[in-house]
Coordinates of all heavy atoms in Angstrom, one line a residue:
I208 N -2.2 -7.3 17.6 CA -2.9 -7.8 18.8 C -2.7 -7.0 20.0 O -3.6 -6.7 20.8 CB -2.6 -9.3 19.0 CG1 -3.2 -10.1 17.8 CG2 -3.1 -9.8 20.3 CD1 -2.8 -11.6 17.9
P209 N -1.4 -6.6 20.4 CA -1.3 -5.8 21.6 C -2.1 -4.5 21.6 O -2.5 -4.1 22.6 CB 0.2 -5.5 21.6 CG 0.9 -6.6 20.9 CD -0.1 -6.9 19.8
G210 N -2.3 -4.0 20.4 CA -3.1 -2.7 20.3 C -4.5 -2.9 20.6 O -5.2 -2.0 21.1
L211 N -5.0 -4.2 20.5 CA -6.4 -4.5 21.0 C -6.6 -4.3 22.4 O -7.6 -3.7 22.9 CB -6.7 -5.9 20.6 CG -6.7 -6.4 19.1 CD1 -7.0 -7.8 19.0 CD2 -7.8 -5.6 18.4
F212 N -5.5 -4.7 23.2 CA -5.7 -4.6 24.6 C -5.3 -3.2 25.2 O -5.9 -2.7 26.1 CB -4.8 -5.6 25.3 CG -5.1 -7.0 24.9 CD1 -4.4 -7.7 23.9 CD2 -6.2 -7.7 25.6 CE1 -4.8 -9.0 23.6 CE2 -6.5 -9.0 25.2 CZ -5.8 -9.6 24.2
I213 N -4.3 -2.6 24.5 CA -3.9 -1.2 24.9 C -5.1 -0.2 24.7 O -5.3 0.7 25.5 CB -2.7 -0.8 24.2 CG1 -1.5 -1.6 24.5 CG2 -2.3 0.7 24.5 CD1 -0.2 -1.4 23.7
S214 N -5.7 -0.4 23.6 CA -6.8 0.5 23.2 C -8.1 0.2 23.8 O -9.1 1.0 23.9 CB -7.0 0.6 21.7 OG -7.4 -0.7 21.2
G215 N -8.2 -1.1 24.4 CA -9.5 -1.5 25.0 C -10.6 -1.9 24.0 O -11.7 -2.1 24.3
E216 N -10.1 -2.1 22.7 CA -11.1 -2.4 21.7 C -11.8 -3.8 21.9 O -13.0 -3.9 21.7 CB -10.4 -2.4 20.3 CG -10.0 -1.1 19.8 CD -9.3 -1.1 18.5 OE1 -9.1 -2.2 18.0 OE2 -8.9 -0.1 17.9
L217 N -11.0 -4.7 22.3 CA -11.5 -6.1 22.4 C -12.7 -6.2 23.5 O -13.6 -6.9 23.3 CB -10.4 -7.0 22.8 CG -10.6 -8.5 22.5 CD1 -11.0 -8.8 21.1 CD2 -9.4 -9.4 23.0
S218 N -12.5 -5.5 24.6 CA -13.5 -5.6 25.7 C -14.8 -4.9 25.3 O -15.9 -5.3 25.8 CB -12.9 -4.9 27.0 OG -12.6 -3.6 26.7
S219 N -14.8 -3.9 24.4 CA -16.0 -3.2 24.1 C -16.6 -3.7 22.7 O -17.6 -3.2 22.3 CB -15.7 -1.7 23.9 OG -14.7 -1.5 22.9
F220 N -16.0 -4.7 22.1 CA -16.4 -5.2 20.7 C -17.6 -6.1 20.9 O -17.6 -7.0 21.7 CB -15.3 -5.8 20.0 CG -15.7 -6.4 18.6 CD1 -16.1 -5.5 17.6 CD2 -15.7 -7.7 18.4 CE1 -16.4 -6.1 16.4 CE2 -16.0 -8.3 17.2 CZ -16.4 -7.4 16.2
D221 N -18.6 -5.9 20.1 CA -19.8 -6.7 20.1 C -20.0 -7.3 18.7 O -20.4 -6.6 17.8 CB -21.1 -5.9 20.6 CG -22.3 -6.8 20.6 OD1 -22.2 -8.0 20.4 OD2 -23.4 -6.2 20.8
I222 N -19.7 -8.6 18.5 CA -19.7 -9.1 17.2 C -21.1 -9.2 16.7 O -21.3 -9.1 15.4 CB -19.1 -10.6 17.2 CG1 -18.8 -11.1 15.8 CG2 -19.9 -11.5 18.0 CD1 -18.0 -12.3 15.8
S223 N -22.1 -9.3 17.5 CA -23.5 -9.4 17.0 C -24.0 -8.0 16.4 O -25.0 -8.0 15.7 CB -24.4 -9.8 18.2 OG -24.4 -8.8 19.2
A224 N -23.2 -7.0 16.8 CA -23.7 -5.6 16.3 C -23.0 -5.3 15.0 O -23.2 -4.2 14.5 CB -23.3 -4.6 17.4
V225 N -22.1 -6.1 14.4 CA -21.4 -5.8 13.2 C -22.4 -6.0 12.0 O -22.9 -7.0 11.8 CB -20.2 -6.8 13.0 CG1 -19.5 -6.5 11.7 CG2 -19.2 -6.6 14.2
P226 N -22.6 -4.9 11.3 CA -23.5 -5.0 10.1 C -23.0 -5.8 9.0 O -21.8 -6.0 8.9 CB -23.7 -3.5 9.7 CG -22.4 -2.8 10.2 CD -22.0 -3.5 11.4
L227 N -23.9 -6.2 8.1 CA -23.5 -7.1 7.0 C -22.5 -6.4 6.1 O -21.5 -7.1 5.6 CB -24.7 -7.5 6.2 CG -24.5 -8.4 5.0 CD1 -23.8 -9.7 5.4 CD2 -25.8 -8.7 4.2
N228 N -22.7 -5.1 5.8 CA -21.8 -4.4 4.9 C -20.4 -4.4 5.4 O -19.4 -4.4 4.6 CB -22.3 -3.0 4.5 CG -22.3 -2.1 5.7 OD1 -22.3 -2.5 6.8 ND2 -22.3 -0.8 5.4
A229 N -20.2 -4.4 6.8 CA -18.9 -4.4 7.4 C -18.2 -5.7 7.1 O -17.0 -5.8 6.8 CB -19.0 -4.0 8.8
W230 N -19.0 -6.8 7.3 CA -18.4 -8.1 7.1 C -18.0 -8.3 5.6 O -17.0 -8.9 5.3 CB -19.5 -9.2 7.4 CG -19.6 -9.5 8.9 CD1 -20.7 -9.2 9.7 CD2 -18.7 -10.1 9.8 NE1 -20.5 -9.6 11.0 CE2 -19.2 -10.2 11.1 CE3 -17.4 -10.6 9.6 CZ2 -18.5 -10.7 12.2 CZ3 -16.7 -11.2 10.6 CH2 -17.3 -11.2 11.9
L231 N -18.9 -7.9 4.7 CA -18.6 -8.0 3.3 C -17.3 -7.1 2.9 O -16.5 -7.6 2.1 CB -19.8 -7.5 2.5 CG -21.0 -8.4 2.5 CD1 -22.2 -7.8 1.7 CD2 -20.7 -9.8 2.1
S232 N -17.2 -6.0 3.5 CA -16.0 -5.1 3.3 C -14.8 -5.8 3.8 O -13.7 -5.8 3.1 CB -16.2 -3.8 4.0 OG -17.3 -3.1 3.4
V233 N -14.8 -6.4 5.0 CA -13.6 -7.2 5.5 C -13.3 -8.3 4.6 O -12.1 -8.6 4.3 CB -13.9 -7.7 6.9 CG1 -12.9 -8.6 7.4 CG2 -14.0 -6.5 7.9
L234 N -14.3 -9.0 4.1 CA -14.1 -10.1 3.1 C -13.3 -9.6 1.9 O -12.4 -10.2 1.4 CB -15.4 -10.8 2.7 CG -15.2 -12.0 1.8 CD1 -14.5 -13.1 2.4 CD2 -16.6 -12.4 1.4
Y235 N -13.8 -8.5 1.4 CA -13.1 -7.8 0.2 C -11.6 -7.4 0.6 O -10.8 -7.7 -0.2 CB -13.9 -6.6 -0.2 CG -13.2 -5.9 -1.4 CD1 -13.6 -6.2 -2.7 CD2 -12.3 -4.8 -1.2 CE1 -13.0 -5.6 -3.8 CE2 -11.7 -4.2 -2.3 CZ -12.1 -4.6 -3.6 OH -11.5 -4.0 -4.6
L236 N -11.5 -6.9 1.7 CA -10.1 -6.5 2.1 C -9.2 -7.7 2.3 O -8.0 -7.6 1.9 CB -10.2 -5.7 3.4 CG -10.8 -4.3 3.4 CD1 -11.0 -3.7 4.8 CD2 -10.0 -3.4 2.5
V237 N -9.7 -8.8 2.8 CA -8.9 -10.0 3.0 C -8.5 -10.6 1.7 O -7.3 -10.9 1.4 CB -9.6 -11.0 3.9 CG1 -8.9 -12.3 3.9 CG2 -9.7 -10.5 5.3
I238 N -9.5 -10.8 0.8 CA -9.3 -11.5 -0.4 C -8.6 -10.6 -1.5 O -7.5 -11.0 -2.0 CB -10.6 -12.0 -1.1 CG1 -11.3 -13.0 -0.1 CG2 -10.3 -12.7 -2.4 CD1 -10.5 -14.2 0.3
F239 N -9.1 -9.5 -1.8 CA -8.6 -8.6 -2.8 C -7.5 -7.6 -2.3 O -6.5 -7.5 -2.9 CB -9.7 -7.8 -3.5 CG -10.7 -8.7 -4.2 CD1 -11.9 -9.1 -3.6 CD2 -10.4 -9.2 -5.5 CE1 -12.8 -10.0 -4.3 CE2 -11.2 -10.1 -6.1 CZ -12.5 -10.5 -5.5
G240 N -7.8 -6.9 -1.2 CA -6.8 -6.0 -0.7 C -5.5 -6.5 -0.2 O -4.5 -6.1 -0.5
S241 N -5.7 -7.7 0.5 CA -4.5 -8.3 1.1 C -3.9 -9.4 0.2 O -2.7 -9.3 -0.2 CB -4.8 -8.9 2.5 OG -5.2 -7.9 3.4
I242 N -4.6 -10.4 -0.1 CA -4.1 -11.5 -0.8 C -3.7 -11.2 -2.3 O -2.6 -11.4 -2.8 CB -5.0 -12.8 -0.8 CG1 -5.2 -13.3 0.6 CG2 -4.5 -13.9 -1.7 CD1 -6.2 -14.4 0.8
V243 N -4.7 -10.7 -3.0 CA -4.5 -10.4 -4.5 C -3.6 -9.2 -4.7 O -2.5 -9.3 -5.3 CB -5.8 -10.2 -5.2 CG1 -5.6 -9.8 -6.6 CG2 -6.7 -11.4 -5.1
A244 N -3.9 -8.0 -4.1 CA -3.2 -6.8 -4.4 C -1.8 -6.8 -3.7 O -0.8 -6.4 -4.3 CB -4.0 -5.6 -3.9
F245 N -1.7 -7.2 -2.4 CA -0.4 -7.2 -1.8 C 0.5 -8.2 -2.4 O 1.7 -7.9 -2.6 CB -0.6 -7.5 -0.3 CG 0.7 -7.3 0.5 CD1 1.2 -6.0 0.7 CD2 1.4 -8.4 1.0 CE1 2.4 -5.9 1.4 CE2 2.6 -8.3 1.7 CZ 3.1 -7.0 1.9
S246 N 0.0 -9.4 -2.8 CA 0.9 -10.3 -3.5 C 1.4 -9.8 -4.8 O 2.6 -10.0 -5.1 CB 0.1 -11.6 -3.7 OG -0.3 -12.3 -2.5
S247 N 0.5 -9.1 -5.5 CA 0.9 -8.5 -6.8 C 2.0 -7.4 -6.5 O 3.0 -7.3 -7.3 CB -0.3 -7.9 -7.4 OG -1.2 -8.9 -7.8
Y248 N 1.8 -6.6 -5.5 CA 2.8 -5.6 -5.1 C 4.2 -6.2 -4.8 O 5.2 -5.7 -5.3 CB 2.3 -4.7 -4.0 CG 3.3 -3.7 -3.5 CD1 3.4 -2.5 -4.2 CD2 4.0 -3.9 -2.3 CE1 4.3 -1.6 -3.7 CE2 4.9 -3.0 -1.9 CZ 5.1 -1.8 -2.6 OH 6.0 -0.8 -2.1
V249 N 4.2 -7.2 -3.9 CA 5.4 -7.8 -3.5 C 6.2 -8.4 -4.8 O 7.4 -8.3 -4.8 CB 5.2 -8.9 -2.5 CG1 6.4 -9.7 -2.2 CG2 4.7 -8.3 -1.2
W250 N 5.4 -9.0 -5.7 CA 6.0 -9.5 -6.9 C 6.5 -8.4 -7.8 O 7.6 -8.4 -8.3 CB 5.0 -10.4 -7.7 CG 5.5 -10.9 -9.0 CD1 6.3 -12.0 -9.1 CD2 5.2 -10.4 -10.3 NE1 6.5 -12.2 -10.5 CE2 5.9 -11.2 -11.2 CE3 4.5 -9.3 -10.7 CZ2 5.9 -11.0 -12.6 CZ3 4.5 -9.0 -12.1 CH2 5.1 -9.9 -13.0
L251 N 5.7 -7.4 -7.9 CA 6.0 -6.3 -8.8 C 7.3 -5.5 -8.4 O 8.1 -5.1 -9.2 CB 4.8 -5.3 -8.9 CG 4.8 -4.3 -10.1 CD1 4.8 -5.0 -11.4 CD2 3.5 -3.5 -9.9
I252 N 7.4 -5.3 -7.0 CA 8.6 -4.6 -6.5 C 9.9 -5.3 -6.8 O 11.0 -4.7 -6.8 CB 8.4 -4.3 -5.0 CG1 9.3 -3.1 -4.6 CG2 8.8 -5.5 -4.2 CD1 8.8 -1.8 -5.0
K253 N 9.8 -6.6 -7.0 CA 11.0 -7.4 -7.3 C 11.4 -7.4 -8.8 O 12.5 -7.5 -9.2 CB 10.8 -8.8 -6.9 CG 10.7 -9.0 -5.4 CD 11.0 -10.4 -5.0 CE 10.1 -11.5 -5.6 NZ 10.3 -12.8 -5.1
V254 N 10.4 -7.2 -9.7 CA 10.7 -7.3 -11.1 C 10.6 -5.9 -11.9 O 10.9 -5.9 -13.1 CB 9.7 -8.2 -11.8 CG1 9.8 -9.6 -11.2 CG2 8.3 -7.7 -11.8
Q255 N 10.3 -4.8 -11.1 CA 10.2 -3.5 -11.7 C 11.0 -2.5 -10.9 O 11.2 -2.7 -9.7 CB 8.8 -3.1 -11.9 CG 8.0 -3.8 -13.0 CD 8.3 -3.1 -14.4 OE1 7.8 -2.1 -14.7 NE2 9.1 -3.8 -15.1
P256 N 11.5 -1.4 -11.5 CA 12.1 -0.3 -10.7 C 11.2 0.2 -9.6 O 10.0 0.5 -9.9 CB 12.4 0.8 -11.8 CG 12.4 0.0 -13.1 CD 11.4 -1.1 -13.0
A257 N 11.7 0.4 -8.4 CA 10.9 0.8 -7.3 C 10.2 2.2 -7.5 O 9.1 2.4 -7.1 CB 11.8 0.8 -6.0
T258 N 10.9 3.1 -8.2 CA 10.3 4.4 -8.4 C 9.0 4.3 -9.2 O 8.1 5.0 -9.0 CB 11.3 5.3 -9.1 OG1 11.8 4.7 -10.3 CG2 12.4 5.7 -8.2
K259 N 9.0 3.4 -10.2 CA 7.8 3.2 -11.1 C 6.7 2.5 -10.3 O 5.5 2.9 -10.4 CB 8.2 2.4 -12.3 CG 9.1 3.2 -13.2 CD 9.4 2.4 -14.5 CE 10.3 3.2 -15.4 NZ 10.7 2.5 -16.6
V260 N 7.0 1.5 -9.5 CA 6.0 0.8 -8.7 C 5.4 1.8 -7.7 O 4.2 1.7 -7.4 CB 6.6 -0.4 -8.0 CG1 5.6 -1.1 -7.2 CG2 7.2 -1.4 -9.0
S261 N 6.2 2.7 -7.2 CA 5.7 3.6 -6.1 C 4.7 4.6 -6.6 O 4.0 5.3 -5.8 CB 6.9 4.4 -5.6 OG 7.4 5.4 -6.5
T262 N 4.4 4.6 -8.0 CA 3.4 5.5 -8.5 C 2.0 5.1 -8.0 O 1.1 5.9 -8.1 CB 3.4 5.6 -10.0 OG1 3.3 4.2 -10.5 CG2 4.7 6.2 -10.5
Y263 N 1.9 3.9 -7.4 CA 0.6 3.5 -6.8 C 0.1 4.5 -5.8 O -1.1 4.8 -5.7 CB 0.7 2.1 -6.1 CG 1.4 2.2 -4.8 CD1 0.6 2.4 -3.7 CD2 2.7 2.1 -4.6 CE1 1.2 2.5 -2.4 CE2 3.3 2.2 -3.4 CZ 2.5 2.4 -2.3 OH 3.1 2.6 -1.1
A264 N 1.1 5.2 -5.1 CA 0.7 6.2 -4.1 C 0.0 7.4 -4.6 O -0.6 8.1 -3.9 CB 2.0 6.6 -3.3
Y265 N 0.2 7.7 -5.9 CA -0.5 8.8 -6.5 C -1.8 8.3 -7.2 O -2.8 9.1 -7.2 CB 0.4 9.4 -7.7 CG 1.7 10.0 -7.2 CD1 2.9 10.1 -8.0 CD2 1.8 10.5 -5.9 CE1 4.0 10.7 -7.6 CE2 3.0 11.1 -5.4 CZ 4.1 11.1 -6.3 OH 5.3 11.7 -5.9
V266 N -1.8 7.1 -7.7 CA -3.0 6.7 -8.4 C -4.1 6.2 -7.5 O -5.3 6.4 -7.7 CB -2.6 5.5 -9.4 CG1 -3.9 5.0 -10.1 CG2 -1.6 6.0 -10.4
N267 N -3.7 5.6 -6.3 CA -4.7 5.1 -5.3 C -5.7 6.2 -4.9 O -6.9 5.9 -4.9 CB -4.0 4.5 -4.1 CG -3.4 3.1 -4.4 OD1 -2.7 2.6 -3.6 ND2 -3.7 2.6 -5.6
P268 N -5.2 7.4 -4.6 CA -6.2 8.5 -4.2 C -7.1 8.8 -5.3 O -8.3 9.2 -5.1 CB -5.3 9.6 -3.8 CG -4.0 9.0 -3.5 CD -3.8 7.9 -4.3

Side-chain angles (χ1 to χ4, degrees):
I208 292 176
L211 294 176
F212 299 98
I213 295 173
S214 64
E216 290 179 0
L217 198 59
S218 60
S219 60
F220 177 67
D221 180 8
I222 193 170
S223 64
V225 178
L227 178 61
N228 68 338
W230 282 112
L231 294 176
S232 297
V233 169
L234 181 63
Y235 179 89
L236 292 171
V237 169
I238 301 298
F239 294 98
S241 295
I242 295 177
V243 177
F245 186 72
S246 298
S247 298
Y248 175 79
V249 170
W250 177 81
L251 198 58
I252 201 71
K253 295 199 301 185
V254 302
Q255 285 280 282
T258 51
K259 293 182 179 179
V260 180
S261 70
T262 54
Y263 79 88
Y265 296 156
V266 180
N267 285 171

